[in-house]
Amino acid sequence: MKKIFLFASLTISLFVNAQILDPVSWKTSTKQLSNNEFELVMEAAIEPHWHMFSQFTPDGGSLPSVFEYKNAKGNFELVGKTTESKYEKVYNDIFEVDEYIFENKATFKQKVKVTNSTLKEIKVYVEYQACKEQCIQLDKTFTFKLPEIKTAESNTKVENVIVETTSDLVIETVTIDTTKQTISDENNKEEVKVSEDNITTTKEVEKEEEKRSLWSIFIFAFLGGFAALLTPCVFPMIPMTVSFFTKHSGSRQKGIFNALFYGISIIVIYVFLGLLVTGIFGADALNALSTSVIFNVIFFIILIFFASSFLGAFEIVLPNSLANIVDKKSSKSGIIGIFFMAMALAIVSFSCTGPIVGTLLVEAASKGGIAPIVGMFGFSLAIALPFMLFALFPAWMNSLPKSGGWLNTVKVSLGFLELALAFKFLSNADLVLQAHWLEREVFLTIWIVIFGTWAVYLFGKLTLPHDSPVTHISVGRLFLALLVSIFTVYLIPGLWGAPLKLISGFPPPMTYSESPYGLGNSQGGGEVAEGLPKHAHFGPHKIIAFHDYEEGVAYAKQVGKPILLDFTGHACVNCRKMEEHVWSQPEVLSILKNEVVLISLYVDDKRELDEKDKYTSPETGKEIKTIGNKWSDYQITRYKNNAQPFYIVLDSEGKDISSPVGYTPDVEEYKKWLEEGISNFKK
């Protein structure tokens, strides 16, 4: 009976693995809004237990949905951005980021204005990822038919005309060898009705994202404001300004009122700056800019500029004419004069506060929405509070430390922090491009040098342009020097593969490195390292892996070992689970290191193929432009499957010798499957 059950299970498994999965069914429609304006509607019905991802899911996790509107130039213009229905926020403990997902259904809309009256259709290319126990890299091309467009320039509203179409799910089957592909196709049309509930605009989606992060922005900004208080441009102003209000206001009550109004004026000025930034760029634009390669590089340059100022290379100052105008206004009596006194403080202290304000606005840009306003409120509140509190309790001023060289030490320390933060933005750009210019080892080395130099400075062994001669260091400076030194030493083991959980999310991930398991490994130094074949790389747990099929097969022939073919993805959650929880087990790891040749093919690799290697699928018309496209197409055409992870054992000639398996979290089951494939190879 057990044998019958096992045979049935194997038969079902083979049948399931032979299917091309597509848990997302689409229905498209076109709504005519006016003579030449249309709304393109894409409705997705998602199978139970599956989910797909929002366009706005944060970097570092699964891949977002991406919409590309073909041949727009000269034919039509996009009106606003693609909007989507409400998503759900879920924390991914593998990638350690929040992800925005859709379950059951999702709706995407895009308004377009047609500029070519002869245009008959609009094509939209959609790329998305769907996940359950396996992750699937999917894409579709939708064709939206347009009714005849009148040449009259009238833009009169018309009744909504809906042209419904049903997407074609193209299932590719295969007869293939390793050198030539023959593709046939089978069209499977299905119409899915999707109700339209809880549809939100892009702005509403962004507002939801803002709410989740506004507190963190506020706290970060408040701490930034407190740091600005301890700079030589602001700190000396506290006793001077409070004394002025308490002694020249006629009465203590009037002095307290003036100081409170002064503090409120500071908050109003900086909040207005946040409003100005949001108004100029827009709430949506800030978030979009934060994920752009170009603007991450610009943010990097800006922060390097700010850091140089803090370190003493130059001072950032506003025009003297502006300062003189505001200073004259501040001499007036009454609340108007007090407001201009607050503005004068903001202008005079700009050389110290400017870099901090700029950094806060850059960080707020990564959150989008009203984050710049909230950030400026937190920053200004931290600066305004001392003026208010010392006006209420003037005796507290006696406890303030005297101004001195320690203020410049604070300023320089902020410069080192700005410098370290700058490289995070450069790292973001590098990760998006997958350029591997700033891999984990390089990033950590930069941070070790920055924080190590900061420690040397705090110990008084290094002086900068605005420093006073150091005859001794204070106890507070000593403790800060020790703390920075400890952090620097903590970073060093990261070069040898330590996870560095305290700074998780700042450096690139372990897999994004020259040698994922550290500089000190005997086999971790590159292609010339002992035991690392030509074209091979170190994969998870220092397993030797190939990322090109032909190169891996050639090596397998050379050493006479079977092949473990691994279809995977950089943003595949369950691929990482398999690697971390199954491949890491000693009994499995020993097999992967010693008994098979691992070929890992990444279906979401966005690097472009050489022009000579690009091709178009003869049946589907899909353009194969990237390395990921190539391996995804190879998996579909050879195995009629598009899910990841997907494993199969091949002989050293590249022929299948085992049934394929997908996500298999049971260690014993996966080990047994591997051993059966190896046993078949030996036979």
Side-chain angles (χ1 to χ4, degrees):
M1 185 67 183
K2 288 183 178 179
K3 289 183 178 180
I4 295 174
F5 177 75
L6 182 60
F7 176 77
S9 300
L10 181 59
T11 303
I12 293 171
S13 173
L14 287 172
F15 175 77
V16 170
N17 281 319
Q19 300 303 304
I20 296 179
L21 299 179
D22 190 349
V24 183
S25 301
W26 293 85
K27 176 187 173 184
T28 62
S29 61
T30 305
K31 293 183 180 180
Q32 186 169 6
L33 306 178
S34 67
N35 179 49
N36 63 342
E37 289 185 331
F38 302 88
E39 185 174 61
L40 312 180
V41 182
M42 293 156 279
E43 299 173 308
I46 308 168
E47 291 184 5
H49 311 299
W50 287 85
H51 60 269
M52 62 183 292
F53 299 91
S54 164
Q55 304 166 87
F56 312 108
T57 194
D59 292 338
S62 300
L63 298 180
S65 299
V66 178
F67 295 82
E68 182 181 347
Y69 297 85
K70 300 287 189 179
N71 301 320
K73 187 175 182 180
N75 290 314
F76 62 92
E77 299 171 353
L78 301 182
V79 180
K81 298 182 179 180
T82 303
T83 63
E84 59 182 39
S85 51
K86 205 167 186 178
Y87 58 68
E88 179 184 354
K89 176 182 174 182
V90 177
Y91 181 72
N92 187 320
D93 56 0
I94 298 297
F95 293 127
E96 297 183 341
V97 296
D98 289 324
E99 293 184 329
Y100 306 153
I101 68 170
F102 298 109
E103 294 182 324
N104 300 320
K105 59 190 174 184
T107 302
F108 303 89
K109 294 182 177 182
Q110 176 64 57
K111 290 181 181 179
V112 297
K113 182 177 181 180
V114 176
T115 55
N116 178 5
S117 61
T118 63
L119 186 66
K120 300 299 182 184
E121 61 183 32
I122 294 176
K123 291 184 180 292
V124 182
Y125 174 73
V126 185
E127 190 174 17
Y128 58 99
Q129 189 177 65
C131 289
K132 189 177 68 169
E133 290 182 349
Q134 295 175 302
C135 289
I136 306 172
Q137 195 69 23
L138 296 163
D139 59 81
K140 292 281 186 295
T141 299
F142 302 127
T143 300
F144 292 86
K145 300 293 183 182
L146 302 179
E148 183 179 354
I149 299 172
K150 297 178 181 179
T151 56
E153 296 183 359
S154 170
N155 200 35
T156 307
K157 291 288 180 181
V158 299
E159 294 294 324
N160 280 352
V161 178
I162 301 178
V163 181
E164 292 195 357
T165 62
T166 306
S167 66
D168 287 342
L169 171 58
V170 180
I171 299 182
E172 298 174 303
T173 59
V174 62
T175 305
I176 185 171
D177 57 30
T178 59
T179 60
K180 184 178 180 181
Q181 298 179 5
T182 303
I183 304 174
S184 63
D185 77 322
E186 175 182 336
N187 292 328
N188 176 23
K189 297 182 179 180
E190 58 177 335
E191 186 170 332
V192 182
K193 297 293 183 183
V194 182
S195 61
E196 189 175 316
D197 298 325
N198 301 321
I199 302 301
T200 61
T201 65
T202 303
K203 287 186 178 180
E204 289 171 333
V205 171
E206 292 299 322
K207 285 180 182 178
E208 184 175 341
E209 183 179 345
E210 286 173 26
K211 291 176 183 177
R212 297 188 178 99
S213 57
L214 290 183
W215 272 111
S216 62
I217 280 289
F218 175 82
I219 294 170
F220 180 70
F222 187 84
L223 293 175
F226 183 74
L229 275 174
L230 302 179
T231 60
C233 310
V234 181
F235 186 81
M237 301 292 290
I238 298 174
M240 292 170 53
T241 306
V242 173
S243 296
F244 175 83
F245 286 131
T246 54
K247 292 179 181 179
H248 297 82
S249 298
S251 65
R252 185 170 184 273
Q253 289 75 16
K254 183 68 173 176
I256 291 173
F257 171 81
N258 289 343
L260 291 175
F261 185 79
Y262 180 76
I264 293 171
S265 298
I266 291 172
I267 294 173
V268 169
I269 290 166
Y270 280 103
V271 169
F272 176 76
L273 176 61
L275 280 166
L276 193 63
V277 170
T278 304
I280 293 173
F281 293 102
D284 298 331
L286 284 172
N287 187 51
L289 294 183
S290 70
T291 59
S292 162
V293 172
I294 294 174
F295 281 91
N296 268 289
V297 173
I298 291 174
F299 292 159
F300 164 74
I301 294 171
I302 289 172
L303 291 185
I304 291 292
F305 179 77
F306 288 158
S308 300
S309 173
F310 269 150
L311 293 173
F314 50 83
E315 287 193 0
I316 304 172
V317 294
L318 292 175
N320 288 331
S321 57
L322 178 61
N324 293 334
I325 292 171
V326 173
D327 188 55
K328 288 180 182 178
K329 296 287 185 181
S330 66
S331 62
K332 293 183 178 181
S333 59
I335 60 175
I336 294 177
I338 294 173
F339 178 82
F340 278 100
M341 282 183 66
M343 188 175 291
L345 171 69
I347 292 172
V348 171
S349 64
F350 187 77
S351 62
C352 293
T353 60
I356 301 175
V357 169
T359 303
L360 289 172
L361 290 173
V362 166
E363 178 63 21
S366 67
K367 308 299 180 183
I370 62 169
I373 300 170
V374 174
M376 288 301 94
F377 175 72
F379 176 82
S380 58
L381 182 63
I383 290 181
L385 274 177
F387 293 96
M388 297 178 181
L389 291 174
F390 285 119
L392 290 172
F393 307 101
W396 288 5
M397 285 196 295
N398 296 327
S399 62
L400 283 177
K402 294 181 179 180
S403 300
W406 67 272
L407 291 174
N408 191 66
T409 301
V410 172
K411 185 178 177 181
V412 170
S413 295
L414 290 173
F416 281 110
L417 287 174
E418 294 254 0
L419 193 59
L421 183 60
F423 283 93
K424 172 57 182 170
F425 288 96
L426 188 62
S427 175
N428 288 344
D430 183 57
L431 284 168
V432 171
L433 289 173
Q434 287 287 298
H436 289 269
W437 294 332
L438 196 62
E439 293 177 317
R440 186 178 176 88
E441 295 93 342
V442 178
F443 183 94
L444 289 177
T445 300
I446 291 170
W447 268 37
I448 289 168
V449 171
I450 291 173
F451 284 95
T453 306
W454 184 13
V456 171
Y457 170 80
L458 291 172
F459 278 119
K461 301 301 181 182
L462 173 69
T463 57
L464 291 172
H466 298 297
D467 285 322
S468 304
V470 179
T471 56
H472 67 280
I473 60 174
S474 66
V475 174
R477 181 166 173 168
L478 174 62
F479 277 123
L480 181 59
L482 292 173
L483 184 63
V484 175
S485 299
I486 291 169
F487 181 71
T488 304
V489 174
Y490 168 79
L491 293 176
I492 294 173
L495 298 174
W496 280 265
L500 304 181
K501 293 183 179 179
L502 283 180
I503 57 169
S504 177
F506 275 89
M510 295 279 290
T511 54
Y512 195 78
S513 60
E514 294 180 6
S515 51
Y517 296 93
L519 298 177
N521 288 318
S522 62
Q523 295 180 334
E527 290 189 353
V528 298
E530 180 185 354
L532 189 62
K534 186 179 180 181
H535 304 304
H537 308 267
F538 281 105
H541 315 294
K542 210 174 66 172
I543 302 168
I544 295 175
F546 291 85
H547 297 323
D548 182 88
Y549 180 81
E550 298 294 342
E551 291 169 354
V553 170
Y555 179 71
K557 289 179 183 178
Q558 177 185 336
V559 297
K561 289 183 180 181
I563 297 165
L564 175 61
L565 188 57
D566 164 34
F567 289 96
T568 184
H570 293 293
C572 173
V573 176
N574 286 311
C575 301
R576 301 293 86 76
K577 286 182 179 179
M578 286 292 295
E579 293 162 4
E580 293 179 11
H581 302 297
V582 178
W583 286 17
S584 62
Q585 298 305 309
E587 60 270 36
V588 174
L589 188 58
S590 176
I591 295 173
L592 297 178
K593 282 188 173 184
N594 303 311
E595 299 186 45
V596 298
V597 174
L598 176 64
I599 302 178
S600 293
L601 305 179
Y602 287 83
V603 302
D604 58 358
D605 191 328
K606 298 299 182 185
R607 289 175 297 168
E608 286 213 8
L609 292 165
D610 293 336
E611 286 299 323
K612 62 183 177 63
D613 296 324
K614 294 179 181 179
Y615 65 94
T616 302
S617 175
E619 298 295 333
T620 65
K622 178 181 176 181
E623 296 180 6
I624 306 301
K625 300 186 293 185
T626 68
I627 293 174
N629 290 158
K630 175 183 175 181
W631 299 133
S632 177
D633 186 57
Y634 183 71
Q635 181 187 359
I636 290 171
T637 53
R638 179 164 179 171
Y639 296 109
K640 295 181 285 185
N641 189 293
N642 59 346
Q644 295 82 44
F646 186 82
Y647 309 104
I648 189 164
V649 179
L650 314 177
D651 66 15
S652 55
E653 299 293 327
K655 297 178 181 178
D656 301 349
I657 56 174
S658 79
S659 59
V661 297
Y663 179 62
T664 312
D666 186 288
V667 176
E668 284 301 319
E669 183 182 348
Y670 190 76
K671 175 175 175 280
K672 183 179 178 181
W673 174 81
L674 276 175
E675 290 173 338
E676 287 176 352
I678 294 170
S679 176
N680 292 338
F681 173 76
K682 291 178 179 178
K683 291 177 182 178

